[in-house]
Amino acid sequence: DTLGFYYEWRVRVNEGRQAFQRLAEAVDPQESAHARMTYIRARAWQAAFLRQAGKPDVALELLDEAAALCEHASLGAQAQQIERAFIAYQRGYCLERRQNERALACFRASVARWEACGDSWWTALGLGGLGHALSWSNHFIEAREELSKSVEIFERYGHVRELVFLHNRLCDCNQFKGELDAARFYAERALALAEDAGNRKGQAGALRNLTELAVLDGDLQKADARDRDTVHLYCSLGVPIGLARARGGRGKPCRGV
């Protein structure tokens, strides 16, 4: 997991996918319960990076394979809960925006299982995913509630990376509700946290939100400046989805993205 989060947070998608593919291919899941758990988690992480590379359907196939292996009795009830929670969490992101109701069910299942295991850090991660999916389903009030629960937990841990993500999502929720002052507060907070932590992806997300808010305020000069900074960051990261959102579907993508 440590290596997986490193690749994810550094936006090193191809390296992450290749690393976990190699790990899965090096492990025989029939050898022992420990080997089976390693194989399951390796496939789930490989699926996460495939989804981030724009291949959610291939990712879902790997998650189905991993889920089937979770049924083996040798894992034990606790291990089964943990692996199923992680698979459900990754499946939620694969289904988000395409099959939102199924995505919501997956995130809720991941939260319930991590809560049952008494793991507050992973529960907070699941709540963040759930809040994100709720906002895409236009359930903005419920989304704010779940995101705020996640913020409360991650603030106790001092987990800045997730706090950046959550503040950007809270900005979205408030913007969609027409509460622009609150949206601006969360975007500016996300930007400050991201800059302090050197989190360029979070910084790009916050700048994208501030661009949209500047447009709504009618300050097109500020919006244009913010947009240039946003596109520059997404180009440097090689994140095509973020770039498309920053440009609002207009203009040409930068080279290599």
Side-chain angles (χ1 to χ4, degrees):
D1 287 336
T2 301
L3 187 61
F5 283 122
Y6 171 80
Y7 284 131
E8 184 172 81
W9 295 345
R10 294 291 181 179
V11 202
R12 296 167 70 167
V13 174
N14 287 331
E15 289 177 72
R17 176 186 57 78
Q18 292 166 3
F20 285 99
Q21 181 177 345
R22 288 198 302 271
L23 175 57
E25 290 171 350
V27 173
D28 179 2
Q30 305 306 321
E31 184 178 302
S32 66
H34 179 73
R36 188 169 293 108
M37 288 174 63
T38 301
Y39 183 88
I40 289 168
R41 190 55 67 103
R43 285 303 193 204
W45 270 112
Q46 184 187 351
F49 290 112
L50 281 165
R51 185 261 305 169
Q52 292 171 49
K55 299 179 180 179
D57 292 328
V58 181
L60 286 169
E61 291 176 6
L62 290 182
L63 292 172
D64 287 342
E65 178 192 356
L69 286 170
C70 284
E71 302 305 315
H72 203 284
S74 66
L75 290 184
Q78 178 87 347
Q80 285 178 331
Q81 283 276 72
I82 291 170
E83 298 308 322
R84 285 170 178 161
F86 189 70
I87 290 167
Y89 174 77
Q90 296 298 348
R91 196 189 300 276
Y93 275 113
C94 287
L95 295 169
E96 189 183 58
R97 308 186 208 183
R98 304 191 305 159
Q99 300 180 47
N100 272 348
E101 290 306 312
R102 286 186 62 196
L104 288 172
C106 289
F107 283 123
R108 288 190 172 109
S110 71
V111 170
R113 286 177 174 137
W114 278 320
E115 283 183 331
C117 293
D119 195 317
S120 60
W121 191 93
W122 284 98
T123 297
L125 200 69
L127 287 168
L130 176 57
H132 191 237
L134 283 165
S135 67
W136 278 108
S137 302
N138 298 326
H139 301 308
F140 301 118
I141 294 175
E142 189 178 355
R144 284 190 298 191
E145 291 174 356
E146 303 301 341
L147 291 168
S148 296
K149 292 177 190 175
S150 186
V151 166
E152 183 179 348
I153 297 171
F154 278 127
E155 281 182 340
R156 294 204 301 268
Y157 282 102
H159 199 305
V160 175
R161 191 267 175 190
E162 288 302 320
L163 288 172
V164 171
F165 167 81
L166 294 166
H167 280 78
N168 275 325
R169 297 293 72 76
L170 282 163
C171 170
D172 290 339
C173 290
N174 283 284
Q175 181 180 331
F176 288 131
K177 289 292 292 179
E179 298 175 9
L180 300 187
D181 287 341
R184 193 173 296 103
F185 167 82
Y186 285 115
E188 289 173 350
R189 179 63 177 151
L191 181 61
L193 288 168
E195 288 176 340
D196 286 345
N199 180 347
R200 293 191 299 150
K201 187 176 180 181
Q203 187 179 348
L207 285 168
R208 182 192 63 213
N209 284 334
L210 288 168
T211 298
E212 294 170 356
L213 288 165
V215 171
L216 292 173
D217 289 338
D219 191 340
L220 300 185
Q221 185 175 358
K222 180 184 286 187
D224 187 58
R226 293 288 197 189
D227 189 57
R228 284 196 299 272
D229 291 341
T230 306
V231 170
H232 175 75
L233 272 169
Y234 277 125
C235 283
S236 69
L237 291 166
V239 183
I241 295 174
L243 180 63
R245 284 196 63 190
R247 294 187 170 213
R250 300 183 297 274
K252 298 177 182 179
C254 61
R255 184 174 300 172
V257 177

